[in-house]
Amino acid sequence: MLFASSSSSSSLLYLLSLLFLLLLFISSSFASIHIYNHEPFQEIGNAFLLSGGSEGISASLTTAPHIASIHDGHSYIRFENITFRRRKSAARARGTVPIHIIIFEAADRDDIGGSAYGGQRAICCTSDLAKMGACKQGEVIRRPSATDTNWPVVIDLYFKGKSNLISLDSKEVPITKTGMYNLFFVACDPKLKEIVMSGKTIWKNPDGFLPGRMAPFKKFYVFMTLAYVCLGIVWLLQYVRFWDDVLQLQHCISAVIGLGLFEMILWYFEYANFNNTGIRPIVVTTWVVTVGAIRQTIARLLILSVSMGYGVVRPTLGGLTSKVLLLGVTYLFASELLNITEYVGTINDISGRARLILVLPDAFLDAFLILWIFTSLSKTLEQLQAKRSSVKLDIYRNFSNALVATVTASVVWIGYEVYFKATDPFNERWQSAWFITAFWDILAFALLCVICYLWAPSQSSQRYAYSEEVGDESDDEEAQSLTKGKQEGRGELSLVRQEKNVQNDASSDEDDESEEDKRE
């Protein structure tokens, strides 16, 4: 699949084609469990709001009664043990004060809130709007959806008299339409400024608790695991077959393959556990992203070392070793912070703002690495051209072409990712958003396949190995890769040369003797 034979190359193309075809048929399962613990409300406009979550949810597949299974085909948002607590100073002797729970689909976002005479948009009904008869002052402004008059859903709870605590023990809102759903808790009374909320909501779809954007990754990592297994098996067969000729560089490639396989397996079990339980354990997710950060760091250092000619034009990195290791540690730290922010504890389909800040150092280090890689690769190509090492030069040219293609694809994809997010501010295209992240794993795997193909263990591995030879002629270098049969032929030629030298020596002795006779 990955080595220097036509049948192996066709096997690689078949495997990658099969992988992409399987990805096209991925189905999704969504949702999770949100836990609130004395969460405060934030003042926004003329209302106090608390975001309860935002996830892509698929419509229910059945109307049959619930069964004790997460794969029962039902989709819903369920409220359990929801409590609101206000300060005693906000309690009134008489009357009621409402708290509103709002659930709406992203397409119906304009049906919540409004404005009088084109002024500032408000969530709670103002006195001007109340005079116009559009709503009741102090309540949430809601208009029925054009597709379903029951949506958006507004659930009202009331503080009564001097009570400072109200609760909603259990309530389930079925989901009959696929979309990006948002949940908000709203208080319109200014005296509820310091209100806090506790409890939990369960967001479920037909096949589990995974949020919509994350759901396809469960099956995606199955396919990636199979791809790494196939790559590992072929590489291992070659590795064992030509063990005596294996280079240090090929040991590093083996480590990257092993880490990649381990990472894909861990990601699958992380998402499978999340789908089954609705909870994302912080320790487990931290271990998974740490393995991923280590794999990414080692893969980048491997590419940098190869570009510097490690094991090919130089036996070690020499004085550059400390600089390479320092860059690796820095990249590992930056990548770890970014991955922890993006994945650990994340159960919503909207990325946090902190990720945007942590992307910058990671992107800067990647840009610096790319610059260093291509600078080193250019120097290595110049050295190989000067030595006229045709075999090594061909390998490095192919490697250079693969890197150029990878960088080009990365730049194009980054541009597409920026466009995708800029044109989808409300995450309405969440069903295809998963591939934005999955592309990077596919690209990394494709580049690893190219490296495995170019530096595959074989009986002629020494043709691109470093050797301490004197002289620049390519014939001396490429002679290392000749077979034993050719070595035997070379021995026969040397015997013929020795016989000719003996005959020449004998004839010269006879000439000397005849000269001496003539003198006498």
Side-chain angles (χ1 to χ4, degrees):
M1 178 178 64
L2 301 169
F3 310 108
S5 66
S6 59
S7 60
S8 299
S9 301
S10 61
S11 299
L12 171 61
L13 294 175
Y14 176 77
L15 175 61
L16 293 178
S17 300
L18 180 61
L19 176 62
F20 280 102
L21 287 175
L22 289 172
L23 291 176
L24 295 177
F25 294 97
I26 290 181
S27 58
S28 301
S29 57
F30 318 101
S32 56
I33 296 176
H34 297 245
I35 298 176
Y36 319 99
N37 185 20
H38 294 88
E39 305 293 335
F41 283 54
Q42 302 293 326
E43 184 175 2
I44 299 178
N46 67 339
F48 299 96
L49 270 69
L50 172 63
S51 175
S54 178
E55 294 186 13
I57 304 182
S58 179
S60 297
L61 300 179
T62 178
T63 57
H66 286 257
I67 59 175
S69 173
I70 62 170
H71 309 292
D72 58 4
H74 286 275
S75 300
Y76 54 78
I77 298 176
R78 179 188 298 164
F79 299 87
E80 291 188 358
N81 301 320
I82 299 294
T83 60
F84 298 92
R85 185 180 297 274
R86 63 178 177 176
R87 295 175 61 89
K88 291 184 178 180
S89 59
R92 298 175 181 176
R94 296 179 181 179
T96 59
V97 180
I99 292 291
H100 311 283
I101 302 175
I102 306 173
I103 305 174
F104 63 94
E105 203 265 323
D108 300 327
R109 56 187 175 274
D110 292 333
D111 294 329
I112 297 293
S115 61
Y117 312 109
Q120 184 179 2
R121 190 176 183 85
I123 297 175
C124 295
C125 186
T126 62
S127 58
D128 291 336
L129 287 171
K131 291 177 182 178
M132 297 169 59
C135 54
K136 184 178 180 181
Q137 187 173 356
E139 295 186 353
V140 169
I141 303 171
R142 172 196 179 273
R143 287 175 298 278
S145 171
T147 57
D148 189 347
T149 56
N150 294 322
W151 285 86
V153 172
V154 177
I155 303 172
D156 295 325
L157 301 176
Y158 296 92
F159 285 103
K160 296 181 180 180
K162 294 184 178 181
S163 173
N164 64 339
L165 180 69
I166 56 175
S167 61
L168 177 65
D169 295 331
S170 180
K171 185 175 181 61
E172 183 175 296
V173 178
I175 304 299
T176 58
K177 175 186 174 183
T178 298
M180 173 63 68
Y181 285 86
N182 299 272
L183 168 63
F184 285 94
F185 302 94
V186 182
C188 293
D189 193 318
K191 293 185 178 180
L192 297 180
K193 182 177 181 179
E194 298 180 0
I195 190 174
V196 294
M197 191 209 73
S198 300
K200 70 177 179 179
T201 55
I202 301 175
W203 304 55
K204 183 188 172 299
N205 262 297
D207 196 35
F209 295 105
L210 275 174
R213 182 175 55 86
M214 304 178 194
F217 285 112
K218 181 184 174 184
K219 292 187 177 180
F220 170 74
Y221 284 118
V222 172
F223 297 131
M224 288 304 300
T225 299
L226 294 176
Y228 270 95
V229 167
C230 294
L231 173 61
I233 290 175
V234 178
W235 179 265
L236 181 61
L237 292 176
Q238 294 289 100
Y239 200 76
V240 173
R241 182 181 177 187
F242 302 104
W243 173 258
D244 294 334
D245 296 315
V246 171
L247 308 176
Q248 187 67 31
L249 177 63
Q250 291 162 340
H251 291 310
C252 297
I253 296 174
S254 301
V256 174
I257 295 175
L259 279 173
L261 175 60
F262 186 47
E263 181 190 1
M264 298 301 109
I265 294 174
L266 287 179
W267 273 121
Y268 167 75
F269 282 109
E270 201 271 344
Y271 280 112
N273 177 74
F274 189 8
N275 186 59
N276 292 332
T277 63
I279 299 174
R280 201 171 196 180
I282 293 178
V283 175
V284 175
T285 309
T286 301
W287 273 108
V288 176
V289 299
T290 300
V291 172
I294 293 173
R295 192 266 305 170
Q296 293 173 8
T297 302
I298 293 178
R300 282 161 173 75
L301 295 185
L302 173 63
I303 294 173
L304 178 60
S305 301
V306 170
S307 300
M308 290 179 173
Y310 170 67
V312 178
V313 298
R314 57 169 68 186
T316 64
L317 296 179
L320 294 173
T321 302
S322 58
K323 296 180 180 179
V324 172
L325 291 177
L326 178 61
L327 178 63
V329 172
T330 306
Y331 186 87
L332 176 62
F333 180 72
S335 180
E336 177 77 354
L337 284 179
L338 177 62
N339 290 340
I340 286 177
T341 303
E342 184 174 4
Y343 295 105
V344 175
T346 301
I347 57 176
N348 283 303
D349 278 333
I350 299 179
S351 300
R353 294 180 180 179
R355 182 184 182 277
L356 298 177
I357 299 175
L358 294 174
V359 162
L360 295 178
D362 200 68
F364 173 78
L365 289 173
D366 268 329
F368 181 76
L369 263 169
I370 291 172
L371 180 61
W372 196 358
I373 286 171
F374 278 102
T375 302
S376 302
L377 189 58
S378 177
K379 293 180 180 179
T380 302
L381 288 171
E382 290 177 359
Q383 293 178 9
L384 294 175
Q385 287 176 341
K387 292 182 179 181
R388 289 178 287 178
S389 304
S390 60
V391 175
K392 296 178 183 178
L393 188 60
D394 288 341
I395 292 176
Y396 266 82
R397 281 175 177 169
N398 292 330
F399 178 62
S400 178
N401 293 335
L403 285 182
V404 169
T406 302
V407 173
T408 302
S410 300
V411 172
V412 171
W413 195 256
I414 289 173
Y416 173 73
E417 183 175 355
V418 172
Y419 167 78
F420 185 92
K421 292 182 178 180
T423 56
D424 187 32
F426 299 102
N427 299 287
E428 294 179 88
R429 288 184 284 174
W430 53 272
Q431 289 174 300
S432 57
W434 68 274
F435 196 73
I436 296 292
T437 303
F439 173 82
W440 299 110
D441 286 323
I442 297 174
L443 186 64
F445 178 76
L447 182 58
L448 180 60
C449 289
V450 172
I451 294 175
C452 291
Y453 176 81
L454 294 176
W455 276 275
S458 64
Q459 62 183 3
S460 57
S461 291
Q462 297 301 322
R463 74 171 62 184
Y464 45 77
Y466 172 81
S467 59
E468 297 179 355
E469 294 185 23
V470 179
D472 296 331
E473 294 298 327
S474 61
D475 293 341
D476 294 336
E477 182 178 339
E478 296 198 19
Q480 296 179 11
S481 63
L482 297 178
T483 60
K484 294 182 179 180
K486 292 183 179 181
Q487 292 175 352
E488 292 175 358
R490 182 184 295 175
E492 294 175 359
L493 290 175
S494 62
L495 291 175
V496 173
R497 290 176 181 174
Q498 290 177 2
E499 290 178 358
K500 289 182 178 180
N501 291 335
V502 171
Q503 292 176 358
N504 291 335
D505 292 340
S507 62
S508 63
D509 292 340
E510 291 177 356
D511 292 339
D512 292 339
E513 291 178 358
S514 62
E515 288 293 331
E516 292 178 359
D517 292 338
K518 289 179 181 180
R519 290 175 184 175
E520 291 178 356

